[in-house]
Amino acid sequence: MNYIKQLVFLLILICFTKLNASSVLLPMDSDGQQNHLKAYGITYWALAKNYKVNWLLNYRGGSFLLPDGDDIRKECQIRGVSFEVLTDAATASILEEISSPSQNMETVVLEKAPKIAVYTPKGKQPWDDAVTMVLTYAEIPYTEIYDTEVLSDQLVLYEWLHLHHEDFTGQYGKFFGNYRNAPWYIQQKAEAEALAKKLGYNKVSEEKLAVATKIRDYVIGGGFMFAMCSATDSFDIALSAQTTDICEPMFDGDASEPNYQAKIDYNNTFAFKDFILEKQPMKYEFSDIDTTEEHGKGSFSMEVDYFTLMDFSAKWDPIPTMLCQNHTQIVKGFMGQTTAFVSEKIKSNVLLMGECKINGEARYIHGTKGKGMFTYYGGHDPEDYQHRVGDAPTVLDLHPNSPGYRLILNNVLFPAARKKKLKT
């Protein structure tokens, strides 16, 4: 009889708890979440299902607050995402704590799942790009687009655009010195030339400039652009050189314009200023914006290469706070064709969000252009320190709590935030 009473009491308790559970919390601190990356995927999934989601900035590593429901709990269990079921009282207590003026926290409402485009060449392997990899791992849907789609004005269909590790200057990634006889280089060059001709351009550099201009207009019109590695500086360089030929004959078949450096217009760039272009076609570098060469001299090693995320006011500066949400402020550094940015080459209106304290170089920056915004993130793969051509793909199952990959996913969710007047 006592057993039956205990069983009935337990069932009543379970039902009462479920009836009073109003929210599901996806904790994002270091100890509370077993898979940070897939937690973003759950959040995106919930938005796609028209659930209201609150992003709790600076609360337990930037946790997500979702309405309670069997489908949400089940999805978390399937994907291996840690969650906590909260009562009305517990939810109210958390929101009250966050709203206190004494706390550097804020609640941001996420309204709808942003439509995501990844600018990438057709047939590119998924592991060639960290963003494509983490979107796939987090189960966040995206559409691959390339030059044909951009030039036919299809960017307006998307709220968020990622630029694959592209060379917008028409110099084929400056791979000529080391890989000009490699079959993959020869094939990619031929494919780029054929595409440019098909689209009505005489040179790849001219076609890439047209693409860069369309992307610029997309951002100015209100789009959000995210770029990593060489897509960052090569994009700005292409815009700065739109009235002059900076390509040598092995790239476009004719000589560059004499004294082209003097014709560079820094007013046309998003983030960078006063840079000097690398004129040697055999050198694997675009300009002096990048710091990869300094890393190669031995002044850095993987063991000491970290960068620090800046601390912003969540209530007064919610945008950079969103983009910097993490379970640690210290993030492992990683290299790429463009590893990091010389701070003196960054325009004063661009926000520094991640800095290497060893030499002051910028790793993670953000800015506004017209009605839109952009983020530049240096390096190739946050969990592959020195990624090389032909390296094996990163297995994200081994890095489900990667702080470096979290920064990418912060940017993916950012366009979902309810638009409101900023306090700054």
Side-chain angles (χ1 to χ4, degrees), residues 241-301:
Q242 57 189 279
T243 61
T244 186
D245 185 347
I246 64 172
C247 294
E248 300 303 332
M250 66 283 298
F251 302 127
D252 69 350
D254 57 28
S256 61
E257 284 190 37
N259 196 26
Y260 61 70
Q261 180 64 50
K263 301 174 185 177
I264 296 300
D265 189 349
Y266 304 112
N267 292 318
N268 293 332
T269 65
F270 276 29
F272 303 118
K273 63 175 183 177
D274 303 334
F275 49 84
I276 305 300
L277 300 183
E278 177 52 62
K279 295 184 178 182
Q280 298 179 47
M282 304 293 285
K283 193 169 181 180
Y284 184 56
E285 187 62 271
F286 292 107
S287 74
D288 62 355
I289 295 170
D290 177 36
T291 65
T292 300
E293 194 170 280
E294 291 302 312
H295 287 247
K297 290 178 179 177
S299 26
F300 283 85
S301 67

Side-chain angles (χ1 to χ4, degrees), residues 105-377:
M105 302 178 186
E106 182 63 294
T107 301
V108 171
V109 177
L110 302 182
E111 290 192 307
K112 73 177 242 188
K115 294 180 180 177
I116 297 170
V118 174
Y119 173 84
T120 181
K122 307 302 181 190
K124 202 75 172 176
Q125 297 294 342
W127 55 80
D128 288 334
D129 175 56
V131 174
T132 307
M133 274 198 304
V134 77
L135 287 173
T136 302
Y137 180 74
E139 300 179 57
I140 295 176
Y142 63 91
T143 301
E144 292 186 358
I145 63 171
Y146 203 49
D147 295 352
T148 301
E149 291 80 6
V150 172
L151 293 174
S152 59
D153 294 319
Q154 293 185 35
L155 286 179
V156 295
L157 301 174
Y158 306 97
E159 283 87 38
W160 194 84
L161 170 68
H162 165 58
L163 304 183
H164 190 277
H165 305 265
E166 186 67 52
D167 174 8
F168 290 96
T169 70
Q171 299 177 91
Y172 307 106
K174 295 294 288 285
F175 284 114
F176 181 80
N178 292 327
Y179 297 103
R180 61 186 177 275
N181 295 318
W184 64 263
Y185 178 87
I186 295 169
Q187 180 182 349
Q188 288 183 10
K189 184 174 184 292
E191 289 173 351
E193 290 170 348
L195 179 59
K197 185 176 180 180
K198 177 183 175 183
L199 294 171
Y201 295 90
N202 294 321
K203 300 179 182 180
V204 171
S205 58
E206 293 174 356
E207 188 254 333
K208 289 298 179 187
L209 173 60
V211 170
T213 302
K214 286 284 188 181
I215 295 172
R216 176 202 64 192
D217 294 344
Y218 161 79
V219 176
I220 290 173
F224 188 93
M225 183 187 83
F226 178 83
M228 286 186 73
C229 201
S230 60
T232 58
D233 50 353
S234 76
F235 179 78
D236 265 24
I237 290 169
L239 293 178
S240 74
Q242 57 189 279
T243 61
T244 186
D245 185 347
I246 64 172
C247 294
E248 300 303 332
M250 66 283 298
F251 302 127
D252 69 350
D254 57 28
S256 61
E257 284 190 37
N259 196 26
Y260 61 70
Q261 180 64 50
K263 301 174 185 177
I264 296 300
D265 189 349
Y266 304 112
N267 292 318
N268 293 332
T269 65
F270 276 29
F272 303 118
K273 63 175 183 177
D274 303 334
F275 49 84
I276 305 300
L277 300 183
E278 177 52 62
K279 295 184 178 182
Q280 298 179 47
M282 304 293 285
K283 193 169 181 180
Y284 184 56
E285 187 62 271
F286 292 107
S287 74
D288 62 355
I289 295 170
D290 177 36
T291 65
T292 300
E293 194 170 280
E294 291 302 312
H295 287 247
K297 290 178 179 177
S299 26
F300 283 85
S301 67
M302 185 170 64
E303 290 72 27
V304 300
D305 190 358
Y306 287 84
F307 64 95
T308 303
L309 297 175
M310 300 298 141
D311 191 16
F312 297 96
S313 169
K315 290 181 171 62
W316 289 94
D317 294 307
I319 290 174
T321 304
M322 273 186 272
L323 299 179
C324 289
Q325 289 301 285
N326 226 309
H327 50 283
T328 175
Q329 278 194 285
I330 308 298
V331 182
K332 290 188 303 183
F334 53 100
M335 297 178 67
Q337 181 174 13
T338 301
T339 298
F341 320 116
V342 174
S343 296
E344 290 76 20
K345 306 292 180 180
I346 299 174
K347 291 182 174 181
S348 59
N349 62 334
V350 174
L351 197 60
L352 174 61
M353 299 192 299
E355 178 186 42
C356 178
K357 296 297 185 181
I358 295 176
N359 65 353
E361 67 185 13
R363 297 287 181 90
Y364 186 47
I365 62 178
H366 175 75
T368 300
K369 192 72 172 178
K371 297 179 181 179
M373 298 181 184
F374 65 91
T375 297
Y376 287 171
Y377 190 15

